[in-house]
Amino acid sequence: MKQIDLEIRRLVFADLPNVIAIERRAFPTPWSLPMFVLELSKPEGICLAAQSDGQLLGYIICSRFDQVWHIMNVSVDPDLQRRGVASAMITEVIGRVGSDAQITLEVRPTNVGAIALYERFGFLAAGTRQRYYQDNGEDAVIMWRTEATLRGALDDVPAALPTPIPAP
Ligand SMILES: CC(C)(COP(=O)(O)OP(=O)(O)OC[C@H]1O[C@@H](n2cnc3c(N)ncnc32)[C@H](O)[C@@H]1OP(=O)(O)O)[C@@H](O)C(=O)NCCC(=O)NCCS
């Protein structure tokens, strides 16, 4: 599908009504407004917006815990997916934190599209969190992007367990 002319910029409080509108369409258990406010208030966080022609297309929320970056939320308008929007935001995050930084995230094992996206950026599955998702009790797959995962290994991943992604 056609790629879009994108601007990646800092996500600001004024974006939140549009963020909530995308969030509610993109997730079965959307974040609430206060959750976004909390993340935007963290001075060390990286919160980015993807926009085109003044329209918000997606956002990404990253928090830093000690030396590890955690992608807490990434979402793209359902009408504009598969056009490189999430890839552009993740590329920008990696550029900002440094390619050798450790980045982790949780994802539903059934979210094959997101897993494929993360694997394209060098993330590997390295464990699960049991019954992480409250709506259906689904486990989360924990993925990491580190210097080791970029060469297909897990040796620098904290408490790593090789984790085959179950077929949906
Ligand atoms: C997951 C999500 C963020 C991807 O955003 P996106 O802008 O569509 O992703 P991109 O266009 O950058 O995709 C890059 C690559 O990732 C993979 N990918 C992304 N979505 C996919 C899908 N639905 N199915 C299979 N592969 C997919 C593909 O390899 C794709 O490249 P291609 O389109 O050239 O085949 C988007 O689908 C979304 O917002 N989903 C709902 C919210 C969500 O699940 N967020 C992740 C929570 S962990």
Side-chain angles (χ1 to χ4, degrees):
M1 211 182 273
K2 191 171 165 291
Q3 299 291 307
I4 307 168
D5 277 339
L6 279 179
E7 179 194 350
I8 308 294
R9 59 161 174 82
R10 194 158 69 88
L11 189 71
V12 295
F13 289 108
D15 291 312
L16 289 183
N18 294 325
V19 165
I20 292 292
I22 293 176
E23 178 78 9
R24 290 194 176 144
R25 293 168 61 222
F27 285 105
T29 53
W31 278 21
S32 65
L33 181 63
M35 292 166 81
F36 284 103
V37 169
L38 177 67
E39 293 303 323
L40 281 185
S41 309
K42 293 180 181 170
E44 285 222 320
I46 296 178
C47 302
L48 301 176
Q51 75 171 35
S52 182
D53 289 334
Q55 183 193 346
L56 185 79
L57 309 185
Y59 46 88
I60 190 165
I61 309 281
C62 303
S63 258
R64 186 177 174 163
F65 298 95
D66 197 10
Q67 295 306 309
V68 176
W69 288 92
H70 197 134
I71 297 183
M72 313 283 291
N73 192 329
V74 51
S75 186
V76 173
D77 183 328
D79 295 333
L80 295 160
Q81 294 177 355
R82 299 303 288 272
R83 305 205 196 171
V85 175
S87 296
M89 295 190 293
I90 293 172
T91 300
E92 180 68 24
V93 166
I94 292 170
R96 290 187 185 210
V97 302
S99 191
D100 56 350
Q102 295 201 318
I103 311 176
T104 188
L105 55 84
E106 284 91 16
V107 60
R108 292 180 194 253
T110 48
N111 196 345
V112 288
I115 290 170
L117 167 73
Y118 301 138
E119 286 178 338
R120 273 181 43 160
F121 281 91
F123 285 82
L124 286 182
T128 53
R129 283 192 216 295
Q130 301 291 309
R131 300 189 60 79
Y132 182 80
Y133 295 101
Q134 288 173 0
D135 59 327
N136 63 354
E138 200 174 354
D139 295 346
V141 174
I142 306 167
M143 299 187 81
W144 284 82
R145 182 186 195 275
T146 67
E147 289 187 321
T149 68
L150 294 177
R151 53 181 158 76
L154 296 175
D155 47 73
D156 64 357
V157 172
L161 283 176
T163 305
I165 311 262

